[in-house]
Amino acid sequence: MRTLYQFSISHYCEKTRWQLDHKGLAYRVEHLFPGLHRLKTRRMAGTTSLPILRDGGRVVADSTDIALYLEATYPQAPLLPSAGPLREETLALEDRHDRLGVHVRRWLYGQIEDWASVTDAMLRVHRPLFGLRDRAKPMLVKGLRTLYG
């Protein structure tokens, strides 16, 4: 079974869900707690970012690398043109939008202190274990503001 490790709010994770859905591949989602996710992602894939896909014994990090892995491993319902200039143009466009996505993320997280609905959406997928989830909100906001300026 495939497992997608993700944040509930992330356009990169959303992109990977779309890829898996387009290919008709079954998967389960495991939401990682922001900040604490680094403990698992470093050990699992040597990275601090999400998404990460575990497909049997294979672990692939980064939405673009996951797309390329899915293309090579599951050729049905292609995500990309198979070869030539159109494939190169498509990959260049995808790279450009990923770089723009960094600025969208910075803008969104820059507003997070004023948008309780964003932190609520990021955390509500996690059980409120002894109230720790709700107590983590100020640390999450501070961490995101520090990380993204």
Side-chain angles (χ1 to χ4, degrees):
M1 175 50 105
R2 284 168 216 88
T3 302
L4 176 63
Y5 298 89
Q6 69 163 24
F7 293 134
S8 58
I9 295 181
S10 163
H11 54 285
Y12 297 110
C13 296
E14 180 75 12
K15 182 170 93 172
T16 298
R17 288 192 304 269
W18 290 348
Q19 294 162 358
L20 290 161
D21 292 343
H22 176 77
K23 288 200 165 279
L25 299 172
Y27 63 97
R28 70 179 195 83
V29 169
E30 186 171 321
H31 298 284
L32 298 184
F33 199 90
L36 297 178
H37 75 283
R38 293 169 178 231
L39 300 172
K40 187 165 195 160
T41 60
R42 279 193 189 120
R43 190 176 66 249
M44 191 169 40
T47 185
T48 59
S49 62
L50 293 171
I52 295 173
L53 178 68
R54 181 183 299 276
D55 186 13
R58 183 77 190 264
V59 174
V60 185
D62 182 76
S63 60
T64 300
D65 291 342
I66 291 169
L68 295 172
Y69 165 77
L70 292 173
E71 269 310 79
T73 309
Y74 304 100
Q76 75 277 9
L79 299 167
L80 299 166
S82 59
L86 191 53
R87 181 181 177 89
E88 296 308 314
E89 288 175 34
T90 302
L91 289 171
L93 184 62
E94 190 269 348
D95 182 59
R96 179 175 178 224
H97 284 105
D98 269 359
R99 282 185 276 116
L100 290 172
V102 170
H103 301 295
V104 171
R105 180 179 62 201
R106 284 185 61 219
W107 175 82
L108 174 68
Y109 290 151
Q111 313 300 314
I112 201 163
E113 197 165 18
D114 301 324
W115 291 356
S117 60
V118 175
T119 53
D120 289 345
M122 289 178 80
L123 298 177
R124 79 169 146 240
V125 297
H126 303 282
R127 291 181 294 144
L129 190 64
F130 306 114
L132 294 175
R133 178 190 68 190
D134 296 327
R135 286 190 211 129
K137 283 181 191 178
M139 289 183 295
L140 174 64
V141 168
K142 182 179 180 187
L144 287 171
R145 290 184 69 76
T146 300
L147 185 62
Y148 295 109

